[in-house]
Amino acid sequence: MPSFDEALQRAGEFGRFQRRVFLLLCLTGVTFAFLFVGVVFLGSRPERYWCRGPSAAALAERCGWSPEEEWNRTAPPERGGDAGCRRYLLEAANGSAAAGALSCADPLAAFPNRSAPLVPCRGGWRYVQAHSTIVSEFDLVCVNAWMLDLTQAVLNLGFLAGAFTLGYAADRFTSAVVYQGLVMRLGIIGGNLYIDFFISGVVELPAALLILLTIERFGRRLPFAGSNMVAGVACLVTAFLPEGIPWLRTTVATLGRLGITMAFEIVYLVNSELYPTTLRNFGVSLCSGLCDFGGIIAPFLLFRLAAIWLELPLIIFGILASVCGGLVMLLPETKGIALPETVDDVEKLGSPYSYKCGRRKKTQVCSSHL
């Protein structure tokens, strides 16, 4: 029975037919990209939002306030994670629900020590943002904020189902969490969303070039581990850089995006090279499931931790990527070694003989008959 490499050679390697099939498969990634990154724009966090009670709405109309003036006069100060989820009970002023009892200059002056009672918000949200998003359309803030996380979780749940039905190949649980987390983070960090997203997308081009230049010269393991370590360190450094030097934060963050993109792509190659032919389809499907599971928890990890501290997700991503980079060094090097046919071949991948056999002679990994 011919080996996988022999069968591949007989079928023809990367010829005209294979290039056409490859191009068609690449086109499917266009639709995937819109689904994957659409939440960055559709679910971006509003610049400012607050709860607007009936008295505040009537007072804003009577006084002719701008959104900024309404925010300054009727919204509670941000002194905690749930400050924006409550509103002043202006209806309690002087025991009257009429907005006319409140001053346009200082509505809180009607209360002793300007201390109006706070109550949970039951609706009437007010948003200040450049354009409408699903967050403002469906009030996905405060107690409903988890619904935004759920949209991405459901998307990855679909990928998880496809992993076991279609054999979609990827081994990138940690890479998926960090990669997807860094992409979605663009929608919550403020600044110019379009420029930040453009920089984040453009950096994938040099990442692909660096992969081509390194995997054949240095092998798979070192670029794989190094890219994870670069991403991890960059995330940790970015988290603690001061806000006053945005160019440095952008530079370091871009370097981290470059690193995790390389790791995200290299794992496609390494994943398929580590499994024997008899288990390769199942193995890559299983690892794809782990990837999609990572994608399911990534939105909750990002948005819920960012609600505590905006930089906390970066610290978690940095630790995960750094640990992953260290663990990658435990894997055997697969450069120049033919694809393993059996489990026994896989077990011998790390042995000196299999390295010599594959690296120098370009032959089948030392099979069981050896």
Side-chain angles (χ1 to χ4, degrees):
M1 182 177 178
S3 66
F4 179 82
D5 287 338
E6 292 171 343
L8 183 62
Q9 187 175 7
R10 292 179 185 179
E13 297 186 357
F14 202 66
R16 180 180 299 179
F17 173 76
Q18 286 81 2
R19 283 194 292 268
R20 290 177 180 176
V21 173
F22 178 73
L23 178 61
L24 291 174
L25 291 175
C26 287
L27 292 178
T28 62
V30 175
T31 57
F32 167 78
F34 283 105
L35 293 172
F36 188 75
V37 304
V39 69
V40 175
F41 300 96
L42 298 177
S44 61
R45 187 173 64 178
E47 299 174 15
R48 185 173 295 170
Y49 67 90
W50 65 95
C51 187
R52 192 186 205 192
S55 293
L59 188 61
E61 183 178 357
R62 177 170 65 85
C63 299
W65 286 336
S66 66
E68 185 72 20
E69 291 172 327
E70 182 181 349
W71 159 268
N72 290 328
R73 289 178 171 85
T74 65
E78 296 181 347
R79 294 176 181 171
D82 64 339
C85 302
R86 297 178 294 172
R87 69 175 181 89
Y88 287 128
L89 188 63
L90 299 181
E91 294 83 356
N94 298 326
S96 172
L102 301 171
S103 166
C104 291
D106 187 7
L108 297 181
F111 298 89
N113 299 322
R114 301 185 70 256
S115 180
L118 289 170
V119 295
C121 186
R122 304 300 182 187
W125 294 99
R126 179 85 160 145
Y127 302 93
V128 175
Q129 55 189 359
H131 56 82
S132 177
T133 65
I134 59 175
V135 174
S136 58
E137 287 291 325
F138 300 101
D139 293 333
L140 303 183
V141 294
C142 294
V143 295
N144 294 328
W146 64 271
M147 296 182 182
L148 178 62
D149 311 353
L150 184 63
T151 60
Q152 287 299 104
V154 170
L155 173 64
N156 284 279
L157 188 62
F159 294 151
L160 177 61
F164 291 99
T165 58
L166 302 177
Y168 173 80
D171 178 16
R172 54 186 196 279
F173 173 79
T174 298
S175 297
V177 173
V178 179
Y179 183 90
Q180 187 168 349
L182 292 180
V183 171
M184 292 189 299
R185 186 176 179 270
L186 295 173
I188 65 174
I189 59 176
N192 191 312
L193 175 60
Y194 298 97
I195 293 179
D196 292 340
F197 187 84
F198 175 78
I199 296 174
S200 178
V202 167
V203 78
E204 296 205 7
L205 299 177
L209 180 61
L210 284 174
I211 291 173
L212 296 176
L213 295 176
T214 56
I215 60 173
E216 291 302 325
R217 175 171 297 184
F218 303 105
R220 279 66 161 146
R221 190 169 54 178
L222 286 179
F224 193 12
S227 57
N228 273 292
M229 294 299 295
V230 167
V233 172
C235 286
L236 293 173
V237 171
T238 303
F240 295 101
L241 285 176
E243 295 288 344
I245 43 177
W247 65 269
L248 182 58
R249 289 177 60 90
T250 301
T251 302
V252 177
T254 301
L255 186 62
R257 181 74 163 82
L258 176 71
I260 199 59
T261 299
M262 290 183 62
F264 191 73
E265 300 298 338
I266 292 176
V267 76
Y268 279 96
L269 177 63
V270 175
N271 185 36
S272 61
E273 291 181 341
L274 287 175
Y275 291 108
T277 302
T278 54
L279 297 175
R280 188 167 295 119
N281 188 57
F282 173 77
V284 294
S285 297
L286 177 62
C287 289
S288 178
L290 292 175
C291 156
D292 297 323
F293 178 73
I296 290 173
I297 67 173
F300 297 95
L301 190 66
L302 172 68
F303 295 123
R304 295 312 101 221
L305 292 180
I308 301 173
W309 178 34
L310 184 61
E311 309 300 343
L312 184 57
L314 276 183
I315 297 177
I316 301 299
F317 296 154
I319 294 174
L320 287 175
S322 300
V323 171
C324 182
L327 293 177
V328 164
M329 294 304 296
L330 300 178
L331 297 176
E333 177 57 64
T334 58
K335 177 193 172 185
I337 297 179
L339 293 176
E341 297 286 344
T342 66
V343 175
D344 188 51
D345 292 343
V346 175
E347 293 177 348
K348 294 177 180 178
L349 278 177
S351 67
Y353 183 71
S354 67
Y355 184 76
K356 178 180 178 181
C357 175
R359 179 77 176 271
R360 296 184 180 179
K361 297 186 178 181
K362 303 290 184 180
T363 58
Q364 178 69 29
V365 175
C366 311
S367 301
S368 56
H369 69 276
L370 296 176

